[in-house]
Amino acid sequence: MKKLLVFVPIALLIIGCGGGEKNYYPLTEGNTWNYRTITNVTMPDTTISDTGSVKTEITVKTTLNNGTEVYEQIMTMDGTADTSYVQDTDDYILSYEDKADTEPDTMVALPLEEGKTWTVLKDSAYTETGKAIGKESVTVPAGTYDDCWKIAYIYADSAFSETSFVYLAPDIGMVKVYESMEIDTNMTSEFTMELESVTIK
């Protein structure tokens, strides 16, 4: 999942706060989040829209091949499932692609503070950086959530850069994702993912 829009799988999966902070992504077996997605591709003479669904579930507490304790997380998008493994430490929320992964993505650096930045992933060809923007109130189909952290994820390589925004609600987790990008001078794409329902154990 080396790139945020891969939330889809990015996994999305940003996780939340430890160290005395509110929990912005509760890791408990059976927690389930259901989202709707909307993609709009705009061209000079038309706009093409597409809708979809995403379900994310914490299924079981398990271990990586090296013995590290993690939570298995399954994200299903329009019928296609992607499994990742999430670890909550005192300083970071880490996401592993598989049980053999030894170089996790750093989804969140804890504690969250306005202006705080961290490297999500670094490759010889590109980088992705996270930045805590601040707190906002967010309204989605599942309701209105106050004190949501707005996190920017900036992906950059030698050719271009793009920014995705993720909103994390206390004791709920991710409630919204937004990304807009220019495909070329005549085409732009806008992606939104919003929480429709949630079960927190």
Side-chain angles (χ1 to χ4, degrees):
M1 75 183 188
K2 302 300 183 185
K3 179 185 181 317
L4 187 88
L5 189 64
V6 199
F7 298 118
V8 214
I10 185 170
L12 270 180
L13 295 186
I14 303 173
I15 308 320
C17 282
E21 294 286 316
K22 292 181 180 178
N23 191 350
Y24 283 85
Y25 196 99
L27 289 174
T28 302
E29 294 176 20
N31 286 359
T32 304
W33 298 262
N34 293 291
Y35 302 91
R36 70 176 185 189
T37 64
I38 303 172
T39 303
N40 292 314
V41 178
T42 302
M43 294 170 279
D45 56 353
T46 187
T47 297
I48 301 172
S49 298
D50 183 53
T51 60
S53 63
V54 172
K55 177 182 179 181
T56 299
E57 182 177 10
I58 304 298
T59 53
V60 66
K61 190 173 185 179
T62 185
T63 58
L64 301 178
N65 292 352
N66 63 10
T68 300
E69 289 191 347
V70 292
Y71 286 88
E72 181 181 79
Q73 176 176 264
I74 297 179
M75 173 178 291
T76 304
M77 184 174 186
D78 298 332
T80 300
D82 179 79
T83 300
S84 60
Y85 299 90
V86 180
Q87 180 188 15
D88 186 352
T89 75
D90 290 338
D91 299 312
Y92 304 103
I93 300 298
L94 304 175
S95 179
Y96 298 82
E97 290 186 343
D98 53 51
K99 288 192 172 185
D101 190 0
T102 59
E103 297 182 0
D105 293 350
T106 302
M107 305 311 302
V108 175
L110 304 175
L112 284 169
E113 299 170 343
E114 187 171 342
K116 188 172 190 174
T117 62
W118 61 92
T119 299
V120 177
L121 62 91
K122 187 173 183 180
D123 185 90
S124 59
Y126 55 83
T127 60
E128 187 172 353
T129 304
K131 181 177 182 179
I133 303 300
K135 292 185 177 181
E136 297 184 7
S137 178
V138 177
T139 298
V140 293
T144 297
Y145 299 93
D146 297 323
D147 295 324
C148 294
W149 272 106
K150 180 180 181 180
I151 311 294
Y153 290 89
I154 303 97
Y155 171 89
D157 61 22
S158 59
F160 75 104
S161 66
E162 64 183 57
T163 301
S164 299
F165 296 98
V166 173
Y167 298 81
L168 305 176
D171 302 319
I172 296 295
M174 189 177 68
V175 295
K176 183 177 179 179
V177 176
Y178 175 78
E179 181 176 271
S180 178
M181 63 180 294
E182 183 178 287
I183 300 173
D184 58 36
T185 56
N186 294 311
M187 184 182 301
T188 58
S189 175
E190 184 178 67
F191 173 82
T192 304
M193 186 164 73
E194 297 180 321
L195 185 68
E196 289 191 308
S197 64
V198 60
T199 300
I200 301 297
K201 299 290 187 179

